[in-house]
Amino acid sequence: MKLCGAAMRYEENNTYRGIEWKPRFYAPDLFSPPRPLSKFDDPHQKRKQVCVVGAGLAGLAAAYELSSLGHEVAIFETSDRPGGRVYTHRFVKAGTEIAYGELGAMRIPEDHQLVFDYLKELGLQRRRFISENSRTYMYFEGKQPPYRRSEWEALMADFRLRTQSAEVRHPDTIISAIAEDAKSRLSVEALWGMFSSSLQQPPSGTWQARALEWLSTYESQTLWQHVSLGRYAPLTAQEWEAIGRFTLNLPFERAAFTQWLINNVALQNPNKWEIKGGMSALVDKLVEKILSDGQSRLNRNCTVIEISAVDRGTTGRGVEKKVEVVWKCQLGVHRQDFDYVVCAAPAPATARIRFPQMTSNKYEALTNISYFPSAKALILCDKRHWEFPPDSFAGGATFTDLGTQQSWYPSDNARRVTEGNGGDVPNPPQPESGDPGDIGGTFVAEDKKLSEEPGAFLAAYMYGPTAQHFSSLDKGERFDFVIQNVSQYHPWLKWKGAIQGFESYSWDDQSSPGGGAYAFFSPGEFSRYQRLLEQPLPADEPRIFFAGEHVAVLHAWMQSALQSGVAAARRVTEAR
């Protein structure tokens, strides 16, 4: 199949602009944006003054790229903490860090090359994030002792789920088959086009008409509608309830099937990583590098209230095109002119800023896209009880049908004792590369001395409706709720002295970075809003550009935020 080169590239304002469509879809190609930006820069041109709104990863990436080229950058962050949805909580006693855990982003998929590029540039190290451990639990219907993840066949048999063959299939295999069936109906062009600004056929007409019809159908359906009505293995409500909980897909059932499929297409490689020392180490390094030029600055606790493109008349020079930024802080309201602005705040926060040049359609997009709720709770223990009998595992996760949904255990002390899947999830080769399916296996504690030291684990990770329920509880109620649930499979939580600290966080509660954890579109939102979210201002001569994971089509990942920030910085760099 031959693709039409120039006609098959992403639109001017798309996050993935500059990434060429190829005769096959390969996710790593999508996540390697054109860098360094020096190749788009004119070194003889006067350096620009740029305002970046928001110190999340999107804003920091834009600021990092621009300051590296010598442009003067001023970052305005409405809170006192840079990083946005990257939030490492550190348990500290007497000034010394005891342990840490992630209340925000906690893993980096293997294909997310831009993240790894930054880690290498900034001198940060990564470590395997263990997603599959055959010894962790599947706690369902109160069964004691809980099922181990290696006992999935017994769990499935107990639920007497209907399958298409006599073979009992793992729930992940069923979900994967549904996704593969949906993708098989799309042309290569349509797969690339899912990351474009719309789901409409490009002018070249190279998309197969039937593929476009399928995309339109996917965009109009929720995930639940597709799995219950789809041609491939339609599931009953009872089957979907069980499979959805086993695979943690149930909370996404109200999202557009297109949105769910985009994530599936982009995350073919299940291997994941984490940053040694905590995910916020990336934030700290980016801030350090940005401020090292001596002219850029980070303004904390400063809320931008208006951004307006203005014309300034100056004697002998005609009209100068500027952007006036108005912000407020403890010292009052201030304003300053900049050459360009990158607004990298989440959609709800962006909508609270006044943009005189913003169209009503763009404002409607910002105020109507769906954000997904998420909440987490960390527990600091006197020692790593999960690494001792009867649990005896290190790394991986426990999935449940409880209100707390899942628990995750640190990977820093894990040693693999059985390679492959350890009797757990079947591991077919990756459809893209043929590499092994994941790094699953059986993992136990490596260092027994470390096991005896205090440690923190992610006791509860909730998203969807259960996260919304959790957000309504006060701190004491949250603690009681987590202990009541998690102690059902970890009874040692109720031992005297076992719990040394507790921290919870609901992303629905926060005005900064914005209500909800990340954008996750409902049916119709991609085709209605994606192009509008990307659209710079003013339309005739853009000086205000937008970034953030909500702009980046693939939502919810660090890669998406960073890549959108790089894309916005490129537009500023190219502007003359």
Side-chain angles (χ1 to χ4, degrees), residues 51-309:
C51 170
V52 173
V53 181
L57 284 188
L60 292 177
Y64 173 78
E65 297 291 344
L66 292 168
S67 63
S68 297
L69 295 174
H71 301 294
E72 182 180 338
V73 180
I75 308 172
F76 291 89
E77 168 57 42
T78 192
S79 72
D80 62 356
R81 179 185 66 83
R85 293 178 174 89
V86 175
Y87 186 9
T88 303
H89 177 76
R90 303 184 186 277
F91 291 97
V92 177
K93 184 176 181 181
T96 301
E97 181 180 309
I98 302 173
Y100 68 83
E102 305 296 346
L103 292 171
M106 66 181 187
R107 47 197 166 179
I108 309 165
E110 177 99 347
D111 292 339
H112 289 190
Q113 188 57 49
L114 178 60
V115 185
F116 299 126
D117 287 348
Y118 276 140
L119 296 186
K120 184 177 181 180
E121 287 180 26
L122 299 171
L124 296 171
Q125 293 183 305
R126 63 181 183 175
R127 174 174 53 223
R128 291 280 189 180
F129 179 92
I130 297 171
S131 297
E132 289 292 344
N133 188 343
S134 68
R135 285 198 177 177
T136 53
Y137 295 131
M138 300 280 284
Y139 184 76
F140 287 88
E141 295 193 336
K143 184 180 183 304
Q144 295 289 354
Y147 299 96
R148 300 280 183 171
R149 291 186 66 81
S150 60
E151 299 173 323
W152 63 270
E153 289 178 291
L155 174 61
M156 293 292 286
D158 285 351
F159 275 89
R160 297 187 178 90
L161 294 176
R162 175 174 58 85
T163 61
Q164 289 189 323
S165 66
E167 179 186 6
V168 176
R169 294 182 299 162
H170 193 283
D172 282 343
T173 303
I174 297 173
I175 293 295
S176 177
I178 292 172
E180 290 303 313
D181 176 75
K183 288 186 285 187
S184 71
R185 307 182 190 288
L186 303 178
S187 62
V188 174
E189 296 93 339
L191 288 172
W192 284 106
M194 290 172 69
F195 298 88
S196 64
S197 298
S198 72
L199 299 177
Q200 304 304 311
Q201 185 166 319
S204 62
T206 53
W207 290 17
Q208 297 174 4
R210 189 58 178 152
L212 187 60
E213 292 178 11
W214 279 111
L215 272 181
S216 178
T217 298
Y218 298 161
E219 171 69 349
S220 66
Q221 292 179 330
T222 64
L223 173 59
W224 157 243
Q225 288 172 324
H226 186 87
V227 300
S228 62
L229 303 175
R231 196 193 72 154
Y232 179 85
L235 303 176
T236 67
Q238 182 180 7
E239 289 167 346
W240 168 244
E241 191 77 26
I243 291 171
R245 289 187 185 277
F246 295 160
T247 62
L248 300 179
N249 277 286
L250 183 65
F252 297 116
E253 66 178 8
R254 298 171 180 84
F257 183 70
T258 308
Q259 176 73 90
W260 182 86
L261 189 62
I262 284 171
N263 278 262
N264 185 279
V265 168
L267 303 174
Q268 288 297 303
N269 191 327
N271 295 346
K272 295 181 177 65
W273 300 79
E274 62 186 4
I275 301 174
K276 284 188 176 181
M279 305 300 265
S280 65
L282 174 58
V283 174
D284 297 339
K285 279 292 187 180
L286 284 170
V287 171
E288 177 186 328
K289 287 292 186 180
I290 293 165
L291 300 184
S292 66
D293 65 7
Q295 62 177 357
S296 297
R297 64 187 191 276
L298 169 60
N299 305 283
R300 304 170 191 250
N301 300 307
C302 291
T303 301
V304 172
I305 56 179
E306 183 173 340
I307 301 174
S308 178

Side-chain angles (χ1 to χ4, degrees), residues 40-57:
F40 308 112
D41 184 48
D42 180 358
H44 303 294
Q45 188 181 40
K46 180 183 177 181
R47 298 296 84 183
K48 300 162 184 173
Q49 287 187 309
V50 185
C51 170
V52 173
V53 181
L57 284 188

